[in-house]
């Protein structure tokens, strides 16, 4: 083969080898001492996907959105579509976000509040501001535990494919929604996430949903996550589940005036 | 003559004691009645790449739970909360662990009179919560608060450049090591806002922005939202123990500062599993080295009204 | 006697895992002076922390069916034995002993949850009392 052909082939091969599908290689991204992309930082989605994964118009309380689902429509089974309609009708009270334990996975990723990633070789620790739960993505070669276990955030095991973190999530309890308009999954969901840098302050997040109880085929969503860059920015404690009973626990300095009542 | 039913009841009680006792023997050292505090000093153990002493992993306190702040292995008030299943004879006070209050020397929280009266009221109604505020907040899955979080199940420490993160069953704490300022003072949080730095083997932490709603135990001790906490996590370089000291300053509730001291031990793959100090599971993997991991830490009882007297409120 | 002893031993080990250090004070929510025995069919199991819950439909003397909630210990102990949700199929008949909630709601703190023949629900296939098991 001529040198020219080799150079041409090399030139063709370079974009094929680098970066995730649909993405260009990200130079100058933060890397761990082991050479992997380091996703540590505080991240937030601006997608508005929590208001509705599919394209939707505004309501009095919520903005419009062009949707984050590839192909626009989630491929529900007919019975599941009926359940979504029931969810939608009851959403003012039935949306599990009102309980505020957690938005779960993956809603916590594209939710409206930020989350922090702490990364080390064996795992990524994700602390979500809303509800303040912690999700661990194990990257130490361990596997899902045996049998189905009901977890709120699922069980996450990740590995690297080049500069992309591929995370396999199973063991859902099926009690949570995917957004405010009643999109949902069952406990049979098998989620595959792909995390990669689009540039040093932007993560491209893709999630593929496979749930034969609910969907007729797998489907994928994609959002961008933006690094929070304000100086001294931090996740602020938000155990909002305590708001349900906060009135019963006044700040203690008020207890003296309440004594005997 | 003893009926079979009575004989079996006694046997059940005895077996429960034996089961706890047997596992306690396997867990000797996890219900200590005395301990030697770790002295502050140099760290000559393993270090992480950023220079922090490596204290990551699973840990647990060695005394017991948050029943009783000043007599942590003692009965809870006049009504033993163990209920009918655990008829353990109580050991004399001298054979039980000391008060978690290590200063002042009398082991009591130096309350102003109004606060002492309020604490007594919380204790009186703990087992008869006729009003919602008498339900001890931890029972609702509220976070444990900066110190009380260490008085429950085993927990995990994870370290990163600029952070030490504590993961508890209910809640978590992030210690910021990068010197950023505290949050605005009117933001009052269940687990406070913590800034820290390492001095040798000691993680020195300053915790403000406390809402102090979590209280300090079922016995009802509390501080106010004006409290500041000076904490010291003193790690033995052998990597197996650390002592937690927390000095509370609060002119609203106290007559003088006081200190809580909690001893802790490392939980490893060879620590017997008791689903209390050690809640870890063996991770599934193809290698030979033992890897332990905790399952998801989400406490969801708070939104339920299971069994509570004040359920409807 | 030996099989009942073994059953109690299993139960004692299980209960030791839900110890004096329950997430809430027992007496704050349950009444030790109101023991109760219920027979009903399993409708749901919640594998939640800090306590798991079993729900059973119990038919009263008037024929009315009430769904009772039974609190048991954190599911960790069961997960550790290899038990999973699939091991608790809906519709099974159960005999539940426990203590009533002070609130008066149909809620109990479970002391034992067994099949009518005395086998402990929580020991699954490793239960030495299971039919045909070797001793």
């Amino acid at each position: 083969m001529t040198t020219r052909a080799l150079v041409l082939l090399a030139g063709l091969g370079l974009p094929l080898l680098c970066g995730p599908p649909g993405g260009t290689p990200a130079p100058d991204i933060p890397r761990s001492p082991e050479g992997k992309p380091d996703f540590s930082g505080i991240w937030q989605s601006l997608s508005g996907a929590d208001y509705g994964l599919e394209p939707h118009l505004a309501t009095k309380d919520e903005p419009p959105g062009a949707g984050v689902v590839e192909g626009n429509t989630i491929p529900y089974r007919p019975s599941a579509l009926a359940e979504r309609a029931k969810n939608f009708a009851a959403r003012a009270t039935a949306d599990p976000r009102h309980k505020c334990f957690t938005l779960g996975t993956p809603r916590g990723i594209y939710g409206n509040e930020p989350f922090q990633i702490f990364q080390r070789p064996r795992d990524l620790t994700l602390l979500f501001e809303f509800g303040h739960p912690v999700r661990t993505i194990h990257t130490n070669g361990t596997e899902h535990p045996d049998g189905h276990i009901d977890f709120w955030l699922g069980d996450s095991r990740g590995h690297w494919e080049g500069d992309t973190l591929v995370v396999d999530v199973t063991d859902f309890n099926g009690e949570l929604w995917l957004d405010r308009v009643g999109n949902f999954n069952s406990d049979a969901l098998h989620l595959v996430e792909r995390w990669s840098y689009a540039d040093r302050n932007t993560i491209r997040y893709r999630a593929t949903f496979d749930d034969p109880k609910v969907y007729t085929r797998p489907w994928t969503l994609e959002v961008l996550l933006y690094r929070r860059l304000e100086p001294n920015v931090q996740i602020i404690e938000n155990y909002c589940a305590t708001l349900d009973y906060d009135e019963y626990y006044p700040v203690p300095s008020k207890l003296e005036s309440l004594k005997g009542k | 003559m003893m009926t079979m039913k009575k004989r079996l009841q006694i046997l059940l009680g005895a077996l429960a004691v034996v089961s706890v006792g047997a596992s306690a023997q396997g867990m000797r050292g996890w219900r200590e009645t005395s301990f030697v505090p770790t002295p502050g000093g140099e760290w000559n153990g393993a270090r992480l790449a950023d220079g922090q002493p490596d204290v990551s992993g699973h840990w647990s306190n060695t005394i017991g739970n948050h029943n009783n702040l000043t007599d942590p292995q003692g009965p809870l008030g006049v009504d033993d909360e163990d209920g009918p299943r655990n008829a353990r004879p109580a050991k004399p006070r001298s054979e039980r662990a000391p008060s978690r209050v290590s200063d002042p020397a009398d082991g009591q929280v130096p309350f102003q009179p109004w606060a002492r009266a309020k604490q007594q009221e919380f204790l009186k109604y703990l087992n008869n919560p006729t009003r919602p505020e008498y339900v001890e907040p931890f029972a609702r899955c509220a976070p444990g608060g900066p110190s009380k979080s260490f008085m429950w199940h085993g927990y995990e420490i994870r370290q990163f450049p600029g952070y030490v993160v504590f993961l508890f069953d209910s809640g978590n704490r992030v210690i910021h090591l990068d010197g950023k300022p505290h949050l605005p003072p009117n933001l009052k949080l269940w687990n406070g806002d913590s800034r820290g730095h390492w001095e040798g083997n000691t993680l020195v932490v300053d915790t403000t922005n406390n809402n102090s709603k979590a209280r300090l135990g079922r016995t009802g001790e509390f501080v106010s939202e004006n409290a500041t906490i000076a904490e010291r996590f003193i790690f033995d370089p052998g990597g197996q123990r650390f002592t937690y000291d927390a000095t509370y300053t609060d002119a609203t509730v106290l007559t003088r500062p006081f200190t809580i001291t909690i001893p802790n031990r490392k939980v490893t793959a060879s620590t017997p599993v008791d689903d209390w100090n050690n809640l870890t599971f063996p991770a599934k993997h193809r290698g030979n080295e033992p890897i332990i991991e905790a399952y998801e830490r989400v406490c969801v009882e708070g939104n339920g009204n299971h069994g509570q007297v004040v359920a409807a409120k | 006697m030996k099989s009942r002893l073994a059953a109690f031993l299993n139960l004692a080990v299980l209960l030791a895992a839900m110890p004096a250090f329950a997430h809430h004070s027992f007496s704050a929510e349950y009444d030790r002076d109101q023991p109760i025995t219920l027979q009903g069919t399993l409708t749901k199991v919640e594998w939640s922390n800090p306590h798991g819950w079993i729900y059973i439909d119990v038919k009263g003397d008037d024929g009315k069916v009430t769904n009772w909630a039974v609190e048991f210990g954190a599911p960790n102990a069961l997960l550790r034995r290899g038990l999973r949700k699939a091991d608790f199929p809906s519709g099974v008949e159960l005999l539940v002993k426990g203590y009533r909630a002070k609130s008066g709601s149909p809620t109990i703190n479970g002391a034992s949850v067994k099949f009518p023949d005395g086998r402990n629900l929580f020991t699954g296939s490793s239960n030495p009392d299971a039919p045909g098991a070797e001793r």
Side-chain angles (χ1 to χ4, degrees), chain C residues 41-54:
Chain C
T41 52
L42 179 67
T43 57
K44 187 176 171 190
V45 178
E46 266 174 15
W47 291 69
S48 52
N49 280 308
H51 306 113
W53 289 84
I54 284 170

PDB file of all heavy atoms in Angstrom, chain C residues 41-54:
ATOM      1  N   THR C  41     -54.027 -13.547  53.784  1.00  0.00           N
ATOM      2  CA  THR C  41     -53.256 -13.847  52.572  1.00  0.00           C
ATOM      3  C   THR C  41     -52.347 -12.674  52.226  1.00  0.00           C
ATOM      4  O   THR C  41     -52.721 -11.510  52.354  1.00  0.00           O
ATOM      5  CB  THR C  41     -54.173 -14.132  51.370  1.00  0.00           C
ATOM      6  OG1 THR C  41     -55.102 -13.044  51.248  1.00  0.00           O
ATOM      7  CG2 THR C  41     -54.943 -15.418  51.547  1.00  0.00           C
ATOM      8  N   LEU C  42     -51.170 -13.005  51.776  1.00  0.00           N
ATOM      9  CA  LEU C  42     -50.166 -12.003  51.447  1.00  0.00           C
ATOM     10  C   LEU C  42     -50.601 -11.226  50.202  1.00  0.00           C
ATOM     11  O   LEU C  42     -50.943 -11.821  49.182  1.00  0.00           O
ATOM     12  CB  LEU C  42     -48.829 -12.692  51.183  1.00  0.00           C
ATOM     13  CG  LEU C  42     -47.659 -11.785  50.799  1.00  0.00           C
ATOM     14  CD1 LEU C  42     -47.263 -10.898  51.964  1.00  0.00           C
ATOM     15  CD2 LEU C  42     -46.474 -12.625  50.348  1.00  0.00           C
ATOM     16  N   THR C  43     -50.597  -9.899  50.311  1.00  0.00           N
ATOM     17  CA  THR C  43     -50.907  -9.096  49.130  1.00  0.00           C
ATOM     18  C   THR C  43     -49.670  -8.376  48.600  1.00  0.00           C
ATOM     19  O   THR C  43     -49.548  -8.126  47.407  1.00  0.00           O
ATOM     20  CB  THR C  43     -52.006  -8.053  49.430  1.00  0.00           C
ATOM     21  OG1 THR C  43     -51.569  -7.218  50.523  1.00  0.00           O
ATOM     22  CG2 THR C  43     -53.310  -8.734  49.810  1.00  0.00           C
ATOM     23  N   LYS C  44     -48.758  -8.035  49.504  1.00  0.00           N
ATOM     24  CA  LYS C  44     -47.611  -7.233  49.048  1.00  0.00           C
ATOM     25  C   LYS C  44     -46.471  -7.344  50.050  1.00  0.00           C
ATOM     26  O   LYS C  44     -46.696  -7.490  51.242  1.00  0.00           O
ATOM     27  CB  LYS C  44     -48.053  -5.768  48.950  1.00  0.00           C
ATOM     28  CG  LYS C  44     -47.043  -4.831  48.335  1.00  0.00           C
ATOM     29  CD  LYS C  44     -47.652  -3.431  48.204  1.00  0.00           C
ATOM     30  CE  LYS C  44     -46.600  -2.424  47.791  1.00  0.00           C
ATOM     31  NZ  LYS C  44     -47.106  -1.057  47.885  1.00  0.00           N
ATOM     32  N   VAL C  45     -45.252  -7.291  49.528  1.00  0.00           N
ATOM     33  CA  VAL C  45     -44.069  -7.189  50.384  1.00  0.00           C
ATOM     34  C   VAL C  45     -43.286  -5.965  49.932  1.00  0.00           C
ATOM     35  O   VAL C  45     -43.051  -5.786  48.739  1.00  0.00           O
ATOM     36  CB  VAL C  45     -43.165  -8.435  50.263  1.00  0.00           C
ATOM     37  CG1 VAL C  45     -41.921  -8.268  51.140  1.00  0.00           C
ATOM     38  CG2 VAL C  45     -43.920  -9.678  50.661  1.00  0.00           C
ATOM     39  N   GLU C  46     -42.932  -5.111  50.877  1.00  0.00           N
ATOM     40  CA  GLU C  46     -42.108  -3.944  50.548  1.00  0.00           C
ATOM     41  C   GLU C  46     -40.708  -4.145  51.102  1.00  0.00           C
ATOM     42  O   GLU C  46     -40.530  -4.302  52.303  1.00  0.00           O
ATOM     43  CB  GLU C  46     -42.710  -2.686  51.188  1.00  0.00           C
ATOM     44  CG  GLU C  46     -43.622  -1.923  50.263  1.00  0.00           C
ATOM     45  CD  GLU C  46     -44.318  -0.771  50.974  1.00  0.00           C
ATOM     46  OE1 GLU C  46     -43.891  -0.397  52.088  1.00  0.00           O
ATOM     47  OE2 GLU C  46     -45.298  -0.273  50.414  1.00  0.00           O
ATOM     48  N   TRP C  47     -39.756  -4.128  50.200  1.00  0.00           N
ATOM     49  CA  TRP C  47     -38.366  -4.304  50.644  1.00  0.00           C
ATOM     50  C   TRP C  47     -37.753  -2.933  50.842  1.00  0.00           C
ATOM     51  O   TRP C  47     -36.968  -2.466  50.031  1.00  0.00           O
ATOM     52  CB  TRP C  47     -37.585  -5.072  49.576  1.00  0.00           C
ATOM     53  CG  TRP C  47     -38.010  -6.489  49.467  1.00  0.00           C
ATOM     54  CD1 TRP C  47     -39.198  -6.953  49.001  1.00  0.00           C
ATOM     55  CD2 TRP C  47     -37.249  -7.626  49.847  1.00  0.00           C
ATOM     56  NE1 TRP C  47     -39.219  -8.323  49.077  1.00  0.00           N
ATOM     57  CE2 TRP C  47     -38.035  -8.761  49.577  1.00  0.00           C
ATOM     58  CE3 TRP C  47     -35.971  -7.799  50.374  1.00  0.00           C
ATOM     59  CZ2 TRP C  47     -37.598 -10.051  49.837  1.00  0.00           C
ATOM     60  CZ3 TRP C  47     -35.528  -9.099  50.626  1.00  0.00           C
ATOM     61  CH2 TRP C  47     -36.349 -10.203  50.357  1.00  0.00           C
ATOM     62  N   SER C  48     -38.138  -2.265  51.899  1.00  0.00           N
ATOM     63  CA  SER C  48     -37.683  -0.891  52.057  1.00  0.00           C
ATOM     64  C   SER C  48     -36.864  -0.766  53.336  1.00  0.00           C
ATOM     65  O   SER C  48     -36.947  -1.599  54.225  1.00  0.00           O
ATOM     66  CB  SER C  48     -38.891   0.046  52.106  1.00  0.00           C
ATOM     67  OG  SER C  48     -39.814  -0.400  53.085  1.00  0.00           O
ATOM     68  N   ASN C  49     -36.102   0.266  53.405  1.00  0.00           N
ATOM     69  CA  ASN C  49     -35.368   0.608  54.621  1.00  0.00           C
ATOM     70  C   ASN C  49     -36.045   1.779  55.296  1.00  0.00           C
ATOM     71  O   ASN C  49     -36.542   2.668  54.608  1.00  0.00           O
ATOM     72  CB  ASN C  49     -33.924   0.973  54.280  1.00  0.00           C
ATOM     73  CG  ASN C  49     -33.089  -0.262  54.066  1.00  0.00           C
ATOM     74  OD1 ASN C  49     -33.060  -1.151  54.903  1.00  0.00           O
ATOM     75  ND2 ASN C  49     -32.430  -0.336  52.937  1.00  0.00           N
ATOM     76  N   PRO C  50     -36.035   1.878  56.557  1.00  0.00           N
ATOM     77  CA  PRO C  50     -35.358   1.004  57.510  1.00  0.00           C
ATOM     78  C   PRO C  50     -36.105  -0.265  57.874  1.00  0.00           C
ATOM     79  O   PRO C  50     -35.551  -1.148  58.508  1.00  0.00           O
ATOM     80  CB  PRO C  50     -35.230   1.896  58.742  1.00  0.00           C
ATOM     81  CG  PRO C  50     -36.414   2.792  58.662  1.00  0.00           C
ATOM     82  CD  PRO C  50     -36.650   3.034  57.203  1.00  0.00           C
ATOM     83  N   HIS C  51     -37.359  -0.358  57.499  1.00  0.00           N
ATOM     84  CA  HIS C  51     -38.099  -1.581  57.802  1.00  0.00           C
ATOM     85  C   HIS C  51     -38.753  -2.112  56.550  1.00  0.00           C
ATOM     86  O   HIS C  51     -39.263  -1.353  55.732  1.00  0.00           O
ATOM     87  CB  HIS C  51     -39.200  -1.339  58.832  1.00  0.00           C
ATOM     88  CG  HIS C  51     -38.707  -0.697  60.079  1.00  0.00           C
ATOM     89  ND1 HIS C  51     -39.053   0.561  60.447  1.00  0.00           N
ATOM     90  CD2 HIS C  51     -37.863  -1.153  61.020  1.00  0.00           C
ATOM     91  CE1 HIS C  51     -38.452   0.847  61.582  1.00  0.00           C
ATOM     92  NE2 HIS C  51     -37.733  -0.169  61.951  1.00  0.00           N
ATOM     93  N   GLY C  52     -38.794  -3.415  56.446  1.00  0.00           N
ATOM     94  CA  GLY C  52     -39.611  -4.013  55.411  1.00  0.00           C
ATOM     95  C   GLY C  52     -41.034  -4.150  55.939  1.00  0.00           C
ATOM     96  O   GLY C  52     -41.279  -4.119  57.138  1.00  0.00           O
ATOM     97  N   TRP C  53     -41.948  -4.292  55.016  1.00  0.00           N
ATOM     98  CA  TRP C  53     -43.356  -4.414  55.379  1.00  0.00           C
ATOM     99  C   TRP C  53     -43.996  -5.554  54.612  1.00  0.00           C
ATOM    100  O   TRP C  53     -43.707  -5.767  53.439  1.00  0.00           O
ATOM    101  CB  TRP C  53     -44.121  -3.122  55.063  1.00  0.00           C
ATOM    102  CG  TRP C  53     -43.754  -2.008  55.973  1.00  0.00           C
ATOM    103  CD1 TRP C  53     -42.699  -1.160  55.843  1.00  0.00           C
ATOM    104  CD2 TRP C  53     -44.408  -1.634  57.183  1.00  0.00           C
ATOM    105  NE1 TRP C  53     -42.654  -0.277  56.886  1.00  0.00           N
ATOM    106  CE2 TRP C  53     -43.702  -0.544  57.722  1.00  0.00           C
ATOM    107  CE3 TRP C  53     -45.543  -2.111  57.857  1.00  0.00           C
ATOM    108  CZ2 TRP C  53     -44.081   0.074  58.914  1.00  0.00           C
ATOM    109  CZ3 TRP C  53     -45.925  -1.492  59.037  1.00  0.00           C
ATOM    110  CH2 TRP C  53     -45.195  -0.414  59.550  1.00  0.00           C
ATOM    111  N   ILE C  54     -44.883  -6.267  55.314  1.00  0.00           N
ATOM    112  CA  ILE C  54     -45.727  -7.286  54.682  1.00  0.00           C
ATOM    113  C   ILE C  54     -47.160  -6.824  54.836  1.00  0.00           C
ATOM    114  O   ILE C  54     -47.545  -6.327  55.901  1.00  0.00           O
ATOM    115  CB  ILE C  54     -45.548  -8.635  55.397  1.00  0.00           C
ATOM    116  CG1 ILE C  54     -44.226  -9.258  54.993  1.00  0.00           C
ATOM    117  CG2 ILE C  54     -46.659  -9.600  55.079  1.00  0.00           C
ATOM    118  CD1 ILE C  54     -43.904 -10.447  55.842  1.00  0.00           C
TER     119      ILE C  54
END
